[in-house]
Amino acid sequence: MFRTLCLIAALLVAGAPQAQQPAPPQVMSEDAGDRAAQAARLWQVMDMDALMPILRQEALIEARAMQDEMFQNGGAGGWLDKVARIHDPARLEALFKDGIRRNLPATPDPRLEAALDFYRTGLGQRLIGLETSARQAMLDPETEAQARERFSAAASRADPRVRDIARLIETADLLGPNVAGGMNAAIAFSRGFADAGGFDMNMSEEQMLADAWAQEPAIRAETLGWLEAYLMLAYSPLNDAELQIYIAFAGSDEGRALSALLFAGFDALFLKTSRDLGVAAAAQMQGRAL
């Protein structure tokens, strides 16, 4: 989502998107302790500890690109330090778990436990490791470019694995929520930027919404291209039978229930960090003007 945010961040000087405010947090019920335990169990099974430092690295890499776009004339001192603090792994963990807790059902959902049971298996744990390793590898621009080229080359020769990756994206409904999450993160950035006085002129809500949707095709194309390359890289060590098992799980009620909950956790994380980034970016630009 952060890379999608940066597609829009470069346009902020001319005007940035905004949209409806996110729904207010749900009031926690008396079973808050049970929900916290469920969130902690999900965190452990999915090995989220390994992912948070990678999210921080992604943010810092993209922040450097944002710095080049937005602070070309100076005034960027301390920007990367601010981005690093906003993405402190312990803070990301708290934000993610809060999003999970607020979106857990009032009564235990057996689908979620069944999904976690899948990830407790040897194949499930292997999948998590492959996904984490691939995401770490994709931090390197050359590796990402090579992954995109490999997917394109495989598509040109009608490699069956390309069809399987496309089926996984569709079956698991990966594209739409990622695009929505990226747009929401960009919107949150814009709100923070506006609230901190980053715009020279006020823009109406209608103008900002129009700007947001004008970027949707570019966000969708970038998200799809990254997903295809990433998934091809991550699952390349799997044999066909293993990949078919995973596709079937990802499209099951259990897989979709867990996926929706994970997206809720990431949405909570990125909405907050993106708004904080908008505030920090506005402060940097005001410092430059001074």
Side-chain angles (χ1 to χ4, degrees):
M1 294 182 191
F2 193 92
R3 68 171 51 246
T4 302
L5 170 62
C6 293
L7 292 175
I8 293 181
L11 305 175
L12 281 172
V13 177
Q18 295 197 37
Q20 66 277 10
Q21 292 281 2
Q26 300 173 4
V27 177
M28 295 190 70
S29 62
E30 294 179 357
D31 64 347
D34 290 340
R35 295 190 182 200
Q38 291 181 66
R41 189 160 59 251
L42 182 149
W43 179 272
Q44 180 183 26
V45 172
M46 303 303 294
D47 194 20
M48 302 300 293
D49 265 331
L51 181 58
M52 295 300 113
I54 297 176
L55 295 184
R56 184 174 184 267
Q57 289 177 273
E58 288 178 348
L60 286 169
I61 290 170
E62 298 294 349
R64 292 187 183 96
M66 190 184 298
Q67 176 175 286
D68 294 339
E69 292 289 344
M70 297 183 67
F71 314 128
Q72 295 179 15
N73 298 324
W79 166 245
L80 296 180
D81 289 338
K82 292 177 182 177
V83 173
R85 287 196 297 272
I86 289 169
H87 293 84
D88 177 77
R91 184 173 190 258
L92 299 182
E93 176 181 352
L95 292 170
F96 179 86
K97 286 182 175 178
D98 183 60
I100 293 294
R101 286 193 299 269
R102 289 190 283 109
N103 285 274
L104 281 167
T107 57
D109 186 344
R111 297 177 303 167
L112 295 175
E113 280 305 315
L116 291 180
D117 284 342
F118 171 83
Y119 278 108
R120 290 186 180 101
T121 66
L123 176 59
Q125 287 296 296
R126 188 180 178 210
L127 284 163
I128 292 171
L130 290 173
E131 290 166 0
T132 302
S133 296
R135 190 148 184 167
Q136 178 72 50
M138 293 274 280
L139 291 172
D140 175 40
E142 184 174 344
T143 299
E144 178 178 340
Q146 290 172 351
R148 289 176 182 263
E149 289 171 4
R150 281 196 294 270
F151 184 87
S152 178
S156 67
R157 62 176 184 271
D159 189 322
R161 185 55 62 98
V162 170
R163 179 195 60 217
D164 290 337
I165 294 300
R167 189 157 62 90
L168 174 61
I169 291 173
E170 180 179 0
T171 300
D173 191 23
L174 296 179
L175 182 58
N178 270 295
V179 172
M183 291 186 69
N184 285 336
I187 289 164
F189 182 101
S190 301
R191 289 194 179 278
F193 192 81
D195 290 346
F199 293 116
D200 292 334
M201 298 179 61
N202 291 330
M203 297 179 66
S204 70
E205 187 78 2
E206 291 75 14
Q207 288 174 312
M208 293 179 179
L209 282 168
D211 285 344
W213 281 104
Q215 305 309 314
E216 195 272 349
I219 292 173
R220 182 171 293 273
E222 167 62 18
T223 301
L224 178 59
W226 188 89
L227 273 173
E228 291 171 337
Y230 165 69
L231 294 175
M232 177 72 88
L233 176 63
Y235 302 140
S236 58
L238 298 179
N239 60 40
D240 291 341
E242 290 170 328
L243 184 55
Q244 296 309 315
I245 290 172
Y246 180 56
I247 292 173
F249 164 76
S252 68
D253 288 343
E254 294 83 0
R256 282 178 171 262
L258 178 59
S259 179
L261 189 58
L262 289 170
F263 273 119
F266 282 117
D267 279 347
L269 185 161
F270 282 108
L271 284 173
K272 177 58 177 170
T273 56
S274 298
R275 186 189 184 284
D276 292 345
L277 282 167
V279 172
Q284 292 297 135
M285 294 190 72
Q286 289 165 353
R288 180 194 67 187
L290 294 175

